[in-house]
Amino acid sequence: MVIERKTDDTEWSPPNLVDYETVHHGFVWPTPEETFGRRADAPGCFNIAYEAADRHVAAGEGDRIALRSLASESPATTLTYARLAEDSARFANALADLGVVPGDRVFTLLGRMPALYIAALGILKRGAVFSPLFSAFGPEPIKARMQIAEAKALVTTARFFERKVKPVLADLPSLRTVVLVGGGDGGVDFDVALAGQPTTCRIAPTRADDLAIIHFTSGTTGRPKGAMHVHGAAVAHKLTAAYALDLKPDDIFWCTADPGWVTGTSYGIIAPLLIGCTIVSDEEEFDAQRWYGNLERERVTVWYTAPTAVRMLMKAGDDLPQRYDLSRLRLIASVGEPLNPQAVIWGRDVLKRPIHDNWWQTETGGIMISNFLSMPIRPGSMGRPVPGIEAAVTKREASGAVSFVEMPDEQGELALKAGWPSMFIGYLNEEERYRKCFVDSWYLTGDLVRRDADGYYWFVGRADDVIKSAGHLIGPFEVESALLEHPAVAEAGVIGIPDPVAMEVVKAFVALRSGHTPDETLRKDLLAHARKRLGPAVAPRYIEFCHSLPKTRSGKVMRRLLKARELGLPEGDTSTLEVEK
Ligand code: ATP
Ligand code: MG
């Protein structure tokens, strides 16, 4: 099935990427200077924060709105680009006074509040390394991450500091400075620190290849890794936002991811500011009515969200969005997990816009494969490589070399030709693990995919999650998508369990939509449905009903946990596990 975006969708200006083939074919990554222009104040230097705020001010665009920060208890806060440039300069000056030097690792543990955006840019202006923590983490995951990065400073609130940091403070000997947004005991008051500072600063003379950000992976497959990213990654952030999200300066852009995850920083903070558009952010958690309300009231034009959120909106019913005016919304995109075809089609039918899936990882720093606005969508496919990205389907040979799968639709590991600007430069303190990701100048992603004859990539599963049954390789995504087509199914997670004959057989864990009873009749009905859709070799042998699936806090199904529990094995690192209800 193919979804064409109709031409009457383009009452908007034409997409940034019109002719994919031509642009992709001849693409050479521009340098930072070619992408953003010269820096008169610091020739040869490059700093993400300058490009995100000060360049717009220098161009006379300081009055434009950079951020609309929503909260339920207080009115929305609006920050202009000028204000963001000034406050982040103040914060950079304050950090200098507090003894933070370039290269120091500065963490944030904050909700999605204006101070987070100011702190992020201020840290980068100081030449320090920004490392955002997800605010719902408890003391242990916070300690683990700050320890391996040898955090020198932390920006948080008194409440988080008291509950989450104090219990582990003795284990953080490198931590010298704590700044508390809203003030309180145990740290320097953020507002006070800013108050006496000049509104300009000498932005650190960082180079494009200097370390800027450390991002921890989601921990879906094991202990989270600290992926390191450089200032020059901004070239990829800007261009991928322009091509894959079609962002333009006039857009009002809402990325629902928390900046504790890479999506929330690369596209929740950096990319939209580089483009010069308005960011919408919401301090509150998911709520279907609130979200539709935000889209309507803020007149959001481009919305970047995740499959779990889409599935929750689907669960909330098809009538609800009809009560809101979503006509401003011209592009909906999704990332983080496979987006089931059903969800893409639901978007088209119910929200009146199909959902454009795209693929990337913490390690890649930016979007790598995408369903572009100018291209027909194939529901269930992640799309095609962004211009500048050479992707391949590969096999690892016993010798350690990689070979390329040329046959359409044959499965293999997704590999990317190394060298795009936002590629990670290492895993913090895990040199060996980093080196193992690269073979012959290809980065091996650990995800299994297939590519169809037209060059669209289809996600099969993480290499660790793929099920080997009676000689077949079964991707959990395919089985989960088939189960989701059944009207009773809200969520599905599929694993392989050992079987003496077939090696492994498929077991599905299924959470039901409200109004359905988990009984034998339904189980049989689901098994029959799956067999009809997938054939007996691929369909689940067993189905277990559950209330909900274990997920990371960024919303990814933790299949390894389903498996460990099923087999009675240790659960491994659960620091990113969403508290199960
Ligand atoms: P960890 O590496 O710690 O196990 P993680 O891989 O989930 O965690 P992230 O870097 O946040 O950490 O997520 C990247 C992964 O998410 C990809 O490798 C892929 O498995 C999955 N993913 C992201 N986008 C998509 C997508 N559009 N379709 C399918 N899978 C996706
Ligand atoms: Mg990963």
Side-chain angles (χ1 to χ4, degrees):
M1 177 189 191
V2 169
I3 299 181
E4 300 273 358
R5 296 288 306 255
K6 287 186 254 79
T7 42
D8 62 9
D9 280 347
T10 43
E11 56 203 74
W12 324 99
S13 52
N16 289 326
L17 181 66
V18 178
D19 181 358
Y20 173 81
E21 302 296 342
T22 309
V23 176
H24 191 263
H25 183 70
F27 195 90
V28 178
W29 285 102
T31 64
E33 198 167 296
E34 285 163 352
T35 312
F36 295 95
R38 275 190 146 275
R39 279 255 324 252
D41 61 325
C45 293
F46 186 75
N47 187 293
I48 293 176
Y50 175 87
E51 304 304 335
D54 298 57
R55 183 174 290 284
H56 302 297
V57 179
E61 304 279 345
D63 289 341
R64 294 173 62 93
I65 294 171
L67 176 68
R68 288 270 304 156
S69 176
L70 314 177
S72 65
E73 308 271 291
S74 48
T77 311
T78 303
L79 281 188
T80 61
Y81 274 93
R83 183 74 195 273
L84 187 59
E86 287 174 10
D87 283 358
S88 57
R90 284 192 163 126
F91 190 58
N93 292 330
L95 286 174
D97 285 356
L98 291 166
V100 171
V101 297
D104 278 355
R105 282 89 190 251
V106 182
F107 277 66
T108 55
L109 177 67
L110 291 170
R112 292 177 291 272
M113 53 171 69
L116 174 58
Y117 299 78
I118 294 164
L121 298 194
I123 292 165
L124 295 170
K125 284 186 174 178
R126 179 62 190 139
V129 179
F130 170 50
S131 194
L133 290 167
F134 184 45
S135 61
F137 277 154
E140 282 306 314
I142 290 170
K143 180 182 90 179
R145 286 162 180 74
M146 288 181 49
Q147 269 181 344
I148 59 166
E150 294 178 40
K152 291 281 165 50
L154 170 70
V155 189
T156 184
T157 61
R159 198 165 62 99
F160 288 158
F161 182 68
E162 194 60 38
R163 288 208 321 234
K164 298 164 183 257
V165 185
K166 253 194 178 164
V168 294
L169 202 54
D171 300 323
L172 299 170
S174 63
L175 186 65
R176 287 192 310 244
T177 305
V178 176
V179 179
L180 297 175
V181 176
D185 288 340
V188 178
D189 184 320
F190 182 81
D191 289 333
V192 173
L194 258 64
Q197 298 292 348
T199 54
T200 56
C201 71
R202 179 172 170 267
I203 297 176
T206 42
R207 305 267 158 182
D209 57 1
D210 281 339
L211 185 59
I213 298 171
I214 298 173
H215 257 304
F216 289 88
T217 60
S218 293
T220 316
T221 56
R223 187 163 44 88
K225 299 149 272 186
M228 301 192 277
H229 292 281
V230 296
H231 280 273
V235 171
H237 292 144
K238 183 172 181 186
L239 290 179
T240 54
Y243 288 150
L245 303 175
D246 199 48
L247 274 191
K248 302 180 178 119
D250 288 339
D251 275 311
I252 297 173
F253 175 60
W254 184 22
C255 169
T256 61
D258 188 274
W261 312 112
V262 72
T263 306
T265 299
S266 290
Y267 296 96
I269 304 178
I270 298 171
L273 295 178
L274 296 173
I275 298 268
C277 62
T278 296
I279 296 173
V280 171
S281 95
D282 189 357
E283 283 190 34
E284 307 305 326
E285 294 310 316
F286 176 86
D287 174 87
Q289 292 190 24
R290 181 175 174 87
W291 278 31
Y292 288 129
N294 288 349
L295 291 169
E296 177 184 76
R297 193 183 51 257
E298 297 300 320
R299 303 162 69 81
V300 172
T301 56
V302 179
W303 182 33
Y304 196 18
T305 188
T308 347
V310 175
R311 284 194 292 267
M312 289 196 285
L313 290 173
M314 290 168 77
K315 229 173 164 178
D318 297 356
D319 295 337
L320 187 59
Q322 312 314 324
R323 292 188 225 146
Y324 297 84
D325 175 8
L326 306 180
S327 60
R328 303 283 302 175
L329 198 55
R330 60 184 189 85
L331 175 64
I332 309 174
S334 159
V335 72
E337 269 209 305
L339 183 67
N340 312 94
Q342 217 48 27
V344 180
I345 295 161
W346 177 83
R348 180 197 62 183
D349 294 345
V350 178
L351 304 180
K352 312 293 179 229
R353 302 275 178 253
I355 301 173
H356 295 246
D357 187 22
N358 57 54
W359 177 97
W360 58 292
Q361 305 178 310
T362 310
E363 290 86 343
T364 70
I367 299 170
M368 297 283 110
I369 296 180
S370 175
N371 283 284
F372 300 96
L373 195 55
S374 53
M375 214 180 255
I377 298 179
R378 301 192 173 179
S381 161
M382 316 188 289
R384 299 179 68 185
V386 300
I389 296 302
E390 194 182 337
V393 185
T394 64
K395 295 255 186 257
R396 294 196 205 213
E397 303 296 334
S399 66
V402 289
S403 61
F404 297 95
V405 174
E406 301 298 345
M407 281 287 284
D409 296 321
E410 204 180 306
Q411 291 177 16
E413 184 171 358
L414 174 63
L416 307 169
K417 189 74 188 255
W420 65 95
S422 63
M423 190 176 92
F424 70 137
I425 58 159
Y427 286 129
L428 199 59
N429 301 344
E430 293 189 89
E431 181 59 27
E432 179 63 17
R433 202 168 180 184
Y434 177 66
R435 259 192 294 118
K436 278 197 183 138
C437 298
F438 294 88
V439 179
D440 300 338
S441 77
W442 287 86
Y443 164 64
L444 297 166
T445 63
D447 282 348
L448 290 188
V449 298
R450 58 189 177 79
R451 182 181 52 222
D452 67 22
D454 300 313
Y456 282 72
Y457 282 77
W458 299 74
F459 185 78
V460 173
R462 291 165 185 268
D464 297 352
D465 289 340
V466 167
I467 302 159
K468 297 177 193 72
S469 183
H472 302 280
L473 276 183
I474 302 172
F477 174 50
E478 191 182 10
V479 182
E480 290 161 9
S481 290
L483 287 168
L484 274 172
E485 286 171 14
H486 192 284
V489 178
E491 285 186 311
V494 163
I495 60 166
I497 56 172
D499 180 83
V501 180
M503 197 156 121
E504 283 188 303
V505 290
V506 176
K507 174 162 183 181
F509 294 81
V510 167
L512 298 178
R513 284 171 182 259
S514 55
H516 295 272
T517 319
D519 58 15
E520 246 351 86
T521 317
L522 181 57
R523 189 195 316 275
K524 286 200 181 115
D525 192 40
L526 283 175
L527 288 169
H529 163 83
R531 251 181 239 129
K532 196 164 132 231
R533 285 285 290 106
L534 300 163
V538 177
R541 175 88 58 89
Y542 306 105
I543 290 185
E544 183 174 324
F545 293 115
C546 52
H547 180 63
S548 67
L549 296 169
K551 288 189 215 77
T552 64
R553 291 184 180 277
S554 52
K556 297 162 193 266
V557 174
M558 286 173 109
R559 295 178 191 80
R560 71 171 158 101
L561 217 57
L562 289 172
K563 191 154 180 167
R565 288 173 182 174
E566 175 72 23
L567 304 180
L569 298 172
E571 293 197 349
D573 187 301
T574 51
S575 63
T576 62
L577 176 66
E578 175 76 67
V579 179
E580 290 172 87
K581 295 174 192 113

